[in-house]
Amino acid sequence: MEAFLEPIASLFGAAWPAVWTLAKIVAIIAPLMICVAYLTYAERKVIGYMQVRIGPNRVGPLGLLQPIADGVKLLLKEVLVPSATSKGLFIIGPILAIAPSLAAWAVVPFWDGGVLANVDAGLLFLLAITSLEVYGVIIAGWASNSKYPFLGTLRAAAQMVSYELAMGFALVCVLMISASLNLTEIVRAQGQGQFADMGLGFLSWNWLPLFPMFVVFLISGIAETNRAPFDVVEGESEIVAGHMVEYSGMTFALFFLAEYANMWLVSIMTAILFLGGWLSPVGFIPDGFHWLAVKTSLVVLVFLWARATFPRFRYDHIMRLGWKVFLPLTLFWVLVVAVWIMSPLSIWN
Amino acid sequence: MDFKTFVFYLLATVMVLAALRVITVRNPVHAALFLVLTFFNAGGIWLLLQAEFLAITLVMVYVGAVMVLFLFVVMMLDINVDRLREGFWSYLPVGAVVGVIMLAEMVLVLSGPYFGLDAMPEPPAAQAGYSNTRELGRVLYTDYVYPFELASLVLLVAMVAAVALTLRKRAGSRYLDPARQIAVKRADRIELLSMPAEKE
């Protein structure tokens, strides 16, 4: 690979590292955007089947061109900026919504060594970047200068901050048993252990010893991405569409893309942190990127499944779940794991 | 000027300008957002110092949590800028005195023997496998464990005080116990009766 790229590298000279990094960024973002587009299609199909409907089937064979048609439609629509808005912030809002959900992919390891930036504090970076996502919603809601967006913003700010805590403590458990903040190291640590030696790798992944944290992380992830049944931020029966009410065309599409990109991000994080990343579940099949793809898709399916199954939570129940159930549970489990690691029964030495 | 220096000056310029805008801009929400920008650039400068743990924690704590709650409050205030400016000239002497004292103190400390390029030589380059986070944790939980625990205790007291100050029970407020609500079964609310059909 290196020898093959040598002539191209010499062509660019000193600018080569920047060019090469940009190429890698495109290689991550472009497939991600296609995944995002087809997730909207998959969501409509899956929920359609779960509710005994057909789902989109008109544009192209099996409706497969539907996301393209939706994208073209949103691109061609006029971007309306209402006159009473705070103009600059109104445009910055959607940009700030999508930027963190793309930036976070810089540290995601796709296979052993297949990562754009192998940062030592990768997990911390992910937490910090995902905590910035709330700004897009806050700024959009405030800049709209309208009642429903503002209510949506207040809900979003409270909800995302609450569930970030539970998510953070669940991750503290993961980094305690992996003894590393590097995502590649965290996956490698899951490939070791008694069960992995027996060829049953899937039993040594983090989901089993940290099962309560796995569940908390998954539910917090759904709440963090404002997906049903935690979608009170845009609860259309109460506040129309929350922070997105005043947006149209591509500015609205950016919020939409950010939401689905976040779903992929939370799913791939779950797959990496708890489901062994690129590791194969059994010893006799080789590891590889395909395993990560399969695991991530299954977690995404859980998102869709939850949306098709559960009615929307009431707002005070959401707050209660975050602060009075998840937070004490995760705090307690951090203590349990700490004692477990130091005790003779530890399985991580 | 190499690339790192360029990045430093870029971050520093944006940071100073944003910090200036925090105190000059009229709208409090804009001011809070400029403060967010300032924190973010400070995090970038710490990254240049290879303090990645501190830099990311700064972004996570201040930008991701503190400023979100700050904005949450500021957005709900209906601040009249003109009324805020009324007492400007009468407060100016007091403010100026405080400002001059702070400036003098900072000059005294920063121009002293502890700072400057001579006092702080560039540290040797980190060897491979050096983890900033691990080193920080080791120092924090061994050499400085008592000050660290003391600081957390202060934070705990502050937290309890904040809750105690804001916790008010209004007389006659109605409250539903969510646990009881969740525990409700179908049989508690619906009774199936069998009764003969009635004729009009």
Side-chain angles (χ1 to χ4, degrees), chain A residues 93-136:
Chain A
I95 298 173
L96 277 186
I98 194 159
S101 50
L102 298 184
W105 290 82
V107 294
V108 171
F110 296 100
W111 59 88
D112 204 350
V115 51
L116 177 64
N118 196 2
V119 187
D120 260 346
L123 192 60
L124 211 58
F125 176 84
L126 266 181
L127 265 181
I129 290 292
T130 47
S131 73
L132 298 183
E133 271 156 19
V134 68
Y135 277 100

Side-chain angles (χ1 to χ4, degrees), chain B residues 121-136:
Chain B
E122 198 177 335
Q127 64 270 35
Y130 173 84
S131 169
N132 194 301
T133 317
R134 189 182 293 275
E135 291 304 313
L136 202 65

Side-chain angles (χ1 to χ4, degrees), chain A residues 78-100:
Chain A
E78 185 186 358
V79 175
L80 291 171
V81 182
S83 56
T85 54
S86 174
K87 298 263 173 344
L89 288 181
F90 189 78
I91 299 298
I92 291 176
I95 298 173
L96 277 186
I98 194 159

Side-chain angles (χ1 to χ4, degrees), chain B residues 76-195:
Chain B
M76 285 194 281
L77 302 176
D78 187 24
I79 294 177
N80 190 340
V81 180
D82 289 332
R83 205 188 300 154
L84 275 181
R85 304 208 148 208
E86 261 170 21
F88 181 74
W89 291 106
S90 56
Y91 291 131
L92 187 63
V94 185
V97 169
V98 173
V100 167
I101 291 176
M102 277 172 68
L103 188 70
E105 283 176 350
M106 279 169 77
V107 167
L108 278 178
V109 171
L110 293 178
S111 66
Y114 301 110
F115 286 88
L117 287 178
D118 313 324
M120 298 251 178
E122 198 177 335
Q127 64 270 35
Y130 173 84
S131 169
N132 194 301
T133 317
R134 189 182 293 275
E135 291 304 313
L136 202 65
R138 185 169 293 151
V139 171
L140 214 52
Y141 288 102
T142 52
D143 298 355
Y144 297 97
V145 64
Y146 292 118
F148 181 70
E149 294 296 328
L150 210 64
S152 64
L153 215 65
V154 171
L155 273 178
L156 182 67
V157 170
M159 221 155 74
V160 173
V163 172
L165 281 174
T166 50
L167 188 68
R168 265 175 243 158
K169 280 248 165 78
R170 223 173 10 166
S173 68
R174 295 181 179 185
Y175 177 70
L176 281 172
D177 184 6
R180 271 181 60 208
Q181 280 184 300
I182 291 169
V184 165
K185 293 279 180 297
R186 178 170 165 273
D188 301 339
R189 299 282 161 87
I190 298 174
E191 194 178 351
L192 281 181
L193 298 174
S194 73
M195 51 191 287

Side-chain angles (χ1 to χ4, degrees), chain B residues 58-72:
Chain B
L58 177 79
V59 171
M60 202 164 77
V61 174
Y62 280 93
V63 179
V66 173
M67 288 313 292
V68 171
L69 295 178
F70 207 80
L71 267 177
F72 190 84

Side-chain angles (χ1 to χ4, degrees), chain A residues 128-185:
Chain A
I129 290 292
T130 47
S131 73
L132 298 183
E133 271 156 19
V134 68
Y135 277 100
V137 178
I138 290 186
I139 289 174
W142 184 79
S144 296
N145 194 15
S146 165
K147 290 188 183 64
Y148 287 140
F150 193 65
L151 286 172
T153 294
L154 293 183
R155 288 180 172 195
Q159 180 179 329
M160 287 168 111
V161 168
S162 319
Y163 280 88
E164 233 164 58
L165 287 172
M167 217 169 178
F169 278 117
L171 295 187
V172 165
C173 290
V174 173
L175 70 93
M176 272 162 71
I177 64 170
S178 314
S180 175
L181 281 167
N182 186 317
L183 291 169
T184 309
E185 293 298 325

Side-chain angles (χ1 to χ4, degrees), chain A residues 236-306:
Chain A
E236 52 278 274
S237 53
E238 301 151 24
I239 52 171
V240 193
H243 55 285
M244 297 185 277
V245 170
E246 306 288 347
Y247 283 90
S248 67
M250 211 48 213
T251 46
F252 169 76
L254 281 184
F255 281 116
F256 213 70
L257 291 178
E259 183 178 331
Y260 284 82
N262 278 337
M263 273 170 75
W264 279 116
L265 183 68
V266 169
S267 306
I268 207 165
M269 273 172 77
T270 315
I272 286 170
L273 297 170
F274 292 97
L275 299 176
W278 63 79
L279 297 175
S280 155
V282 280
F284 54 87
I285 309 177
D287 306 334
F289 171 65
H290 50 280
W291 284 115
L292 185 60
V294 168
K295 289 167 189 172
T296 310
S297 306
L298 285 177
V299 179
V300 163
L301 190 66
V302 173
F303 274 69
L304 306 183
W305 185 16

